[in-house]
């Protein structure tokens, strides 16, 4: 590995690795005049747009629009647009297709406006009103950019007229759509000129700007020079060589460079930039390998500025114990004890919800007593309510209690239908009684259980397979991976002209040896096995060879994925 060390002077950088260069991007600068400020209540009276690329105007569009409603006197006073001017203009249903056609005239159009939320809001409302799909163009807001990089010490405010005068734009904004769009073109070019020295040279970086790059960021741009442009992992290090932050990318040089431009807006990462003294690149054969290596390194080194994947050991699992009278328990680790597990869960709270879902369905004991035939224990309240098989007082013989435990095991490792049925019927009852909060709580329990059961079942299925070899076509050739018991064991690219048989023989011979293990993810982090699963199940991936049987239960938790998605979406909206 090569460690890029900090140098006292900067190095001239290149924009060839930064996505879409600003000079090659096609911008359509848009301005609308309207009868008011509400996109739902007001209507458009005029549209103006200018298409530019590389500083050259490629085309213009301008038209008045009949709003179908009276033009308020205040709007006429502001814009000069009168009722008689729009009376003979085409209505929006005729103008909208022409506007969208102008926007679509060039591929990969970037929409620009001053206070873009206003203009795009009216266009989106018009699309919805007239049955057209909003294309979802990438948007650049010159107002937001100006607020980010021009302090009040330079401009008294960030209005379009003020900025046009500041940058010496020859067109004066006058609240007419085309003139304001032309003025915005000049402001856009002025802002891009200010951002160039800050390292912003691509559309992607321009859209990400929230504040100027700090002095510390600017001083470390040279660290990206000389890095490879392929996939891999990068490790930012301090003066002692200790890791500060680990990331991955399919283009190491482009990604590392972005940390030292105005496009990087995360506070803790900008803070880290002041401590970085070097970057260690780790080249990988494929993007999957880069993703896996990133997870492994973060889990091993726990760099202080990484906020995700640092502590996989803190994950929680729901376990059904294997003693004479099994019970459910939330644990931190999977053991070689033959017990069924579901998870992992990011938090103990989620695991507890899954546990409660199982207890709602099956009358399993919740106490921690050790039972014996010679020792009887008074039944608890749950037993008296009929919510526990009550092995404590001999209400149920061991064989009868085992039926409940076997049913819970089946729900965890196979068909969760019993849990789904118990919850959906109760949710329907509660909803019918207008007890929506209780219904939502049950919904969340069910979703938590299904998520954990689905994860465990998918992980276990792949972990049981001794070896899977698969390939996916890429620009460089066929990305080929060897997976053994759910762990990525080798990765390489079969390039055109290479003998595939010799390639596969060499890849398999040098792949990591991975022995079988126990539990849903015995030889890799669960997150790694899930990355591998996502890659293997992608329609673009082709299976080359498999040693073992890779299958999930026919009626598994996977069949209820829509329930977890629905519950997650409802919870996020609240």
């Amino acid at each position: 590995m090569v460690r890029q060390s900090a140098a006292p002077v900067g190095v001239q950088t290149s924009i060839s690795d930064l996505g879409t260069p600003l000079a090659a991007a096609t911008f359509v600068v848009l301005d609308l005049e309207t009868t008011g400020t509400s996109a739902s209540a007001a209507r458009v009276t005029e549209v103006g747009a200018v298409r530019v690329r590389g500083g050259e105007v490629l085309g213009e569009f301008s038209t008045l629009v009949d709003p179908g409603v009276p033009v308020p006197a205040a709007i006429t006073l502001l814009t000069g647009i009168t009722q008689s001017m729009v009376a003979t203009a085409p209505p929006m249903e005729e103008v909208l297709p022409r506007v969208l056609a102008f926007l679509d005239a060039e591929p990969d159009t970037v929409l620009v406006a001053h206070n873009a939320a206003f203009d795009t809001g009216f266009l989106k409302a018009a699309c919805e009103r007239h049955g057209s799909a909003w294309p979802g163009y990438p948007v650049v807001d010159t107002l937001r950019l100006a607020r980010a990089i021009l302090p009040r010490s330079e401009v008294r405010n960030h209005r379009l007229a003020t900025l046009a005068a500041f940058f010496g734009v020859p067109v004066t904004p006058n609240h007419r759509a085309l003139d304001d769009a032309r003025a915005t073109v000049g402001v856009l070019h002025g802002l891009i000129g200010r951002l160039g020295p800050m390292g912003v040279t691509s559309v992607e970086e321009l859209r990400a700007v929230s504040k100027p790059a700090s002095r510390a960021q600017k001083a470390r741009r040279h660290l990206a020079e000389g890095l490879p442009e392929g996939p891999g992992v990068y490790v930012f290090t301090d003066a002692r060589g200790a890791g500060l932050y680990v990331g991955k990318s399919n283009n190491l040089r482009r990604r590392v460079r972005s940390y030292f431009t105005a496009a990087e807006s995360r506070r803790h990462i900008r803070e880290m930039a002041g401590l970085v003294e070097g970057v260690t690149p780790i080249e990988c054969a494929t993007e999957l390998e880069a993703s896996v290596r990133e997870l492994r390194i973060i889990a091993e080194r726990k760099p202080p500025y990484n906020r995700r994947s640092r502590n996989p050991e803190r994950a929680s699992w729901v376990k059904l114990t294997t003693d004479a009278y099994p019970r459910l328990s939330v644990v931190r680790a999977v053991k070689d004890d033959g017990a069924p597990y579901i998870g992992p869960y990011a938090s103990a709270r989620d695991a507890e919800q899954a546990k409660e879902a199982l207890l709602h369905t099956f009358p399993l004991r919740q106490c921690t007593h050790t039972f014996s035939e010679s020792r009887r224990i008074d039944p608890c309240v749950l037993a008296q309510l009929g919510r526990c098989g009550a092995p404590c007082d001999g209400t149920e013989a061991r064989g009868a209690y085992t039926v409940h435990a076997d049913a819970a095991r089946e729900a965890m490792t196979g068909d969760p239908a019993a849990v789904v049925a118990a919850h959906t019927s109760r949710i329907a009852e509660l909803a019918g009684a207008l007890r929506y909060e209780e219904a939502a709580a049950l919904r969340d329990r069910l979703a938590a259980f299904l998520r954990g059961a689905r994860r465990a079942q998918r992980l276990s299925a792949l972990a049981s397979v001794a070896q899977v070899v698969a390939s996916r076509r890429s620009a460089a050739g066929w990305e080929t991976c060897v997976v053994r018991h759910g762990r990525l064991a080798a990765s390489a690219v079969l390039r055109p002209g290479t003998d595939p048989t010799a390639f596969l023989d060499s890849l398999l011979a040098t792949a990591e040896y991975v022995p079988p293990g126990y539990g849903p993810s015995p030889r890799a982090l669960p997150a790694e096995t899930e990355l591998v699963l996502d890659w293997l199940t992608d329609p673009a991936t082709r299976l080359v060879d498999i040693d073992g049987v890779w299958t999930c239960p026919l009626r598994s938790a996977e069949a209820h994925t829509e329930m977890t998605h629905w519950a997650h979406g409802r919870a996020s909206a609240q």
Side-chain angles (χ1 to χ4, degrees):
M1 296 185 295
V2 179
R3 182 172 182 270
Q4 299 292 118
S5 299
V9 294
V11 179
Q12 179 64 41
T13 55
S14 167
I15 66 170
S16 61
D17 60 339
L18 291 178
T20 306
L22 292 173
T26 300
F27 296 100
V28 173
V29 183
L30 178 77
D31 187 81
L32 303 180
E33 299 302 328
T34 65
T35 60
T37 58
S38 171
S40 59
R43 295 294 184 268
V44 177
T45 58
E46 189 176 31
V47 180
V50 181
R51 185 186 303 115
V52 294
R53 183 171 61 238
E56 178 184 354
V57 175
L58 304 179
E60 294 184 338
F61 176 91
S62 178
T63 181
L64 288 166
V65 182
D66 180 2
V69 297
V71 178
I75 295 298
T76 298
L77 184 63
L78 177 68
T79 66
I81 298 175
T82 64
Q83 188 68 46
S84 60
M85 291 171 62
V86 299
T88 58
M92 194 61 185
E93 55 263 33
E94 294 181 18
V95 172
L96 184 61
R98 295 164 54 196
V99 174
L100 296 178
F102 186 81
L103 290 169
D104 289 334
E106 296 283 340
D108 302 321
T109 291
V110 180
L111 184 61
V112 181
H114 197 71
N115 189 16
F118 177 87
D119 299 276
T120 58
F122 270 89
L123 278 186
K124 289 177 183 177
C127 285
E128 183 176 355
R129 199 174 291 120
H130 299 294
S132 297
W134 173 247
Y137 305 101
V139 176
V140 171
D141 188 348
T142 52
L143 175 60
R144 185 178 66 84
L145 287 176
R147 286 173 174 169
I149 66 175
L150 293 177
R152 289 297 179 91
S153 59
E154 291 192 68
V155 292
R156 66 179 184 274
N157 58 54
H158 298 101
R159 295 175 182 172
L160 181 60
T162 303
L163 296 175
F166 176 78
F167 286 117
V169 178
V171 180
T172 300
N174 57 7
H175 293 290
R176 293 300 301 270
L178 184 57
D179 281 346
D180 284 9
R182 289 168 174 166
T184 305
V185 170
V187 170
L188 173 67
H189 290 158
L191 293 170
I192 289 175
R194 290 290 293 262
L195 288 166
M198 299 179 187
V200 176
T201 52
S202 71
V203 171
E204 293 76 10
E205 292 177 315
L206 182 68
R207 296 185 64 219
V209 169
S210 63
K211 63 179 67 175
S214 67
R215 184 174 299 177
Q217 287 177 292
K218 295 176 184 178
R220 288 161 174 78
R221 289 180 195 159
H222 63 279
L223 292 176
E225 291 304 307
L227 294 181
E229 295 188 51
V233 176
Y234 51 90
V235 182
F236 288 122
T237 55
D238 61 17
R240 299 178 293 107
L244 295 171
Y245 182 86
V246 177
K248 59 90 181 176
S249 176
N250 60 359
N251 187 316
L252 284 170
R253 180 151 61 107
R254 179 177 65 194
R255 185 67 185 104
V256 169
R257 187 178 184 276
S258 71
Y259 283 89
F260 307 113
T261 70
E264 180 52 70
S265 59
R266 291 171 293 177
R267 181 180 300 176
H268 71 292
I269 296 299
R270 290 168 74 96
E271 174 188 314
M272 181 200 68
L275 304 175
V276 172
E277 291 295 331
V279 56
T280 301
I282 304 172
E283 294 188 70
C284 298
T286 64
E287 292 184 38
L288 176 61
E289 181 185 345
S291 298
V292 167
R293 283 184 177 271
E294 177 194 30
L295 279 175
R296 293 178 184 175
I297 294 172
I298 292 173
E300 176 188 351
R301 302 187 186 182
K302 304 188 187 311
Y305 286 92
N306 282 95
R307 293 183 173 178
R308 296 183 179 180
S309 308
R310 282 178 55 189
N311 300 293
E313 69 280 0
R314 294 182 183 175
S316 296
W317 302 78
V318 177
K319 167 185 176 179
L320 181 65
T321 62
T322 56
D323 49 12
Y325 297 97
R327 62 185 179 85
L328 294 167
S329 179
V330 175
V331 298
R332 288 290 193 188
V334 175
K335 296 182 179 180
D336 185 11
D337 53 8
Y341 292 81
I342 61 172
Y345 291 96
S347 69
R349 179 180 178 276
D350 289 341
E352 287 289 347
Q353 284 194 311
K355 175 183 169 183
E356 289 297 324
L358 285 163
L359 291 173
H360 176 83
T361 309
F362 307 107
L364 300 175
R365 69 183 182 99
Q366 300 183 41
C367 60
T368 58
H369 298 305
T370 300
F371 300 108
S372 67
E373 294 183 1
S374 60
R375 177 174 175 245
R376 292 300 179 94
I377 301 172
D378 291 336
C380 63
V381 174
L382 292 174
Q384 296 174 24
L385 293 174
R387 293 177 55 190
C388 176
C392 51
D393 67 349
T395 300
E396 287 192 0
R398 177 173 177 179
Y401 184 87
T402 301
V403 172
H404 305 316
D406 290 344
R409 175 187 288 266
E410 170 62 16
M412 294 169 72
T413 62
D415 186 355
V419 181
V420 173
H423 281 73
T424 52
S425 62
R426 182 57 178 159
I427 288 171
E429 292 176 8
L430 292 170
L434 306 182
R435 295 161 64 182
Y436 298 121
E437 291 186 2
E438 295 175 66
L442 277 183
R443 174 204 68 198
D444 293 342
R445 286 183 190 174
L446 175 60
F449 163 74
L450 289 173
R451 283 196 304 271
R454 176 180 179 270
R455 293 187 76 182
Q457 290 172 6
R458 295 179 77 237
L459 293 171
S460 298
L462 185 59
S464 66
V465 182
Q467 178 173 284
V468 178
V469 183
S471 290
R472 179 191 296 182
R473 185 186 291 276
S474 69
W478 284 91
E479 296 183 352
T480 307
C481 297
V482 179
V483 180
R484 291 173 174 168
H485 294 294
R487 181 180 177 88
L488 182 65
S491 175
V493 178
L494 174 62
R495 302 187 183 280
T498 303
D499 178 9
T501 302
F503 169 82
L504 284 175
D505 289 344
S506 175
L507 185 64
L508 292 174
T510 56
E512 177 186 359
Y513 169 69
V514 181
Y518 55 86
S521 186
R523 299 302 179 189
L525 297 171
E528 173 182 333
T529 304
E530 288 185 317
L531 282 174
V532 171
L533 272 167
D534 290 342
W535 188 85
L536 288 173
T537 55
D538 188 285
T541 301
R542 301 288 182 266
L543 289 180
V544 176
D545 184 47
I546 185 168
D547 179 10
V549 178
W550 180 19
T551 180
C552 278
L554 179 62
R555 295 180 178 86
S556 66
E558 187 84 24
H560 302 278
T561 303
E562 75 284 350
M563 288 191 177
T564 60
H565 289 173
W566 172 78
H568 176 73
R570 293 281 297 178
S572 298
Q574 292 175 352

